[in-house]
Amino acid sequence: MSRQEMSPFPPCGTRRTAVLARPGLTLRVLSAWEVLEARREGRAMEETGREAALCANACLLSKALEREGKPLYPDGEAVLRGLTVAEIAQLARQWAEFSREADPSPRDPEAVDGLKKAWSTRLTRAFSGVCSGRLGRCPPRRGSER
């Protein structure tokens, strides 16, 4: 059984955004496992500590950068061969910003407050008065009877 089949959450790959100034390309949110894999691949590629960020970003983009839902590059080395340092940096910044918006950190109070507000305004009275299909309909409580 794969890791995605075991997860109770929907796959992260369903959330995508268009790449700025590159029509037809998209970036997708990566699962934590995919980010770890990209970091490991980046560490394996680097020869000195100064190359770490570039290799890590290239490996991350190899997983996140897509055209028509298919990966554009097979691995980080192909990204390094196909893009300039400036392009890798710009795409990595765009991915990081998109990832933060799509999956905010609990340490970002503004993002958390926005999500709380969105969740609190959801329709919550859709099943008002219904306790269970087996028990039948329960009368709704009103006013001081609560």
Side-chain angles (χ1 to χ4, degrees):
M1 184 180 285
S2 74
R3 291 188 188 281
Q4 274 189 336
E5 291 171 347
M6 293 180 350
S7 173
F9 303 106
C12 291
T14 59
R15 296 178 290 180
R16 291 177 167 76
T17 187
V19 173
L20 303 174
R22 293 254 178 139
L25 297 183
T26 57
L27 288 169
R28 68 180 177 92
V29 175
L30 299 175
S31 69
W33 184 254
E34 290 172 311
V35 171
L36 287 174
E37 283 180 329
R39 288 179 182 169
R40 288 181 187 127
E41 183 185 351
R43 278 194 299 270
M45 288 174 50
E46 71 181 71
E47 291 182 20
T48 69
R50 295 185 336 182
E51 300 168 345
L54 181 60
C55 290
N57 285 339
C59 294
L60 185 93
L61 290 174
S62 74
K63 297 183 180 308
L65 196 57
E66 299 179 334
R67 175 176 282 136
E68 297 177 5
K70 296 185 176 117
L72 192 62
Y73 295 99
D75 56 25
E77 185 177 339
V79 173
L80 289 171
R81 292 181 188 279
L83 298 176
T84 66
V85 172
E87 289 172 325
I88 292 171
Q90 187 272 329
L91 289 168
R93 273 193 302 274
Q94 184 182 347
W95 180 85
E97 183 178 309
F98 167 63
S99 181
R100 269 192 304 276
E101 290 171 4
D103 191 17
S105 166
R107 293 182 183 180
D108 182 1
E110 290 179 22
V112 172
D113 288 342
L115 286 174
K116 284 181 185 176
K117 184 174 183 179
W119 290 333
S120 69
T121 58
R122 293 183 304 184
L123 179 60
T124 57
R125 300 191 51 82
F127 298 106
S128 179
V130 177
C131 296
S132 168
R134 292 183 182 171
L135 297 175
R137 186 169 171 83
C138 297
R141 296 187 221 168
R142 303 206 190 286
S144 63
E145 298 174 16
R146 289 184 183 187

